[in-house]
């Protein structure tokens, strides 16, 4: 059927989704791309983004999730996926914006999606964030104790950025605390 109507975006999109469900991700990606190229805006780029994500092509998946977010701006699942991919590549400001859009569309996401950041002061006495990060990432570069000293200094001038994660509940917190050295 597809060979008889190769320009039919709906048919190719359906075939791409069926191939994805069957686990044939490379073929699914090809069909979904062809559907998006052949279509006149009738296919959802989210399907291709999801397939690419499962194939491990995170950069291209992020691009297609961004296209899907523009195609249907109020889809919280798309904004959530986009936020997670942006956060993964350390685009924190973009991830925070995607997170807010996702949570605006689905208040329940607040239980599992929380991305934010804080800008530090940059007054004359403060160490720059880049200098603090470089010193903390390169322990022992200038001799023993450098890592600890850099970490202490970064904390004192509040230029250290710390990322956390969700803990499932009080029991998980207790187990995590007991596991600390």
């Amino acid at each position: 059927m597809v060979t008889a109507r190769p320009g039919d975006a709906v048919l190719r999109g359906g075939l791409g989704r069926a191939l994805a469900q069957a686990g044939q991700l490379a073929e699914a990606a090809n069909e979904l791309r062809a559907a998006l190229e052949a279509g006149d805006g009738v296919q959802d780029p989210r399907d291709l983004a999801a397939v690419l994500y499962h194939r491990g092509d995170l950069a291209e998946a992020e691009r297609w999730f961004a296209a899907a977010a523009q195609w249907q701006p109020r889809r919280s699942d798309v904004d959530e996926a986009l936020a997670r991919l942006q956060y993964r590549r350390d685009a924190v400001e973009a991830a925070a914006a995607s997170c807010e859009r996702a949570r605006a569309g689905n208040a329940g996401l607040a239980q599992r999606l929380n991305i934010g950041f804080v800008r530090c002061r940059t007054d004359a006495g403060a160490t720059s964030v880049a200098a603090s990060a470089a010193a903390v990432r390169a322990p022992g570069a200038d001799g023993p104790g450098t890592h600890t000293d850099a970490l202490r200094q970064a904390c004192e001038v509040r230029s250290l950025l710390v990322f956390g994660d969700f803990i499932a509940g009080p029991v998980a917190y207790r187990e995590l605390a007991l596991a600390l050295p």
Side-chain angles (χ1 to χ4, degrees), residues 41-100:
V42 297
Q43 293 297 311
D44 186 350
R46 182 211 167 273
D47 296 330
L48 176 58
V51 167
L52 292 168
Y53 174 82
H54 288 291
R55 289 194 68 213
D57 190 351
L58 302 183
E60 190 175 359
E62 184 180 335
R63 284 191 296 277
W64 283 105
F65 274 121
Q70 289 179 346
W71 191 68
Q72 284 188 319
R74 290 184 178 35
R75 287 217 28 200
S76 58
D77 62 326
V78 170
D79 285 318
E80 178 184 4
L82 188 56
R84 291 181 186 282
L85 286 168
Q86 290 165 332
Y87 179 81
R88 188 173 185 159
R89 74 171 168 83
D90 202 24
V92 181
E93 290 184 40
S98 295
C99 174
E100 287 304 311

Side-chain angles (χ1 to χ4, degrees), residues 90-139:
D90 202 24
V92 181
E93 290 184 40
S98 295
C99 174
E100 287 304 311
R101 284 191 310 274
R103 290 172 60 176
N106 180 354
L109 286 176
Q111 296 296 317
R112 69 174 192 263
L113 184 66
N114 188 14
I115 299 173
F117 62 96
V118 176
R119 295 197 187 280
C120 69
R121 298 178 325 190
T122 56
D123 58 353
T127 303
S128 74
V129 174
S132 295
V136 172
R137 285 187 188 129

Side-chain angles (χ1 to χ4, degrees), residues 3 18-19 23 28 35 48 70 97 110 118 122 137 148 153-154 159 167 170:
T3 54
L19 288 167
L48 176 58
Q70 289 179 346
V118 176
T122 56
R137 285 187 188 129
T148 305
Q153 181 185 10
S159 65
I167 298 175

Side-chain angles (χ1 to χ4, degrees), residues 16 19 23-32:
L19 288 167
Q24 299 174 18
L25 299 181
E27 295 85 357
N30 290 337
E31 289 300 327
L32 291 168

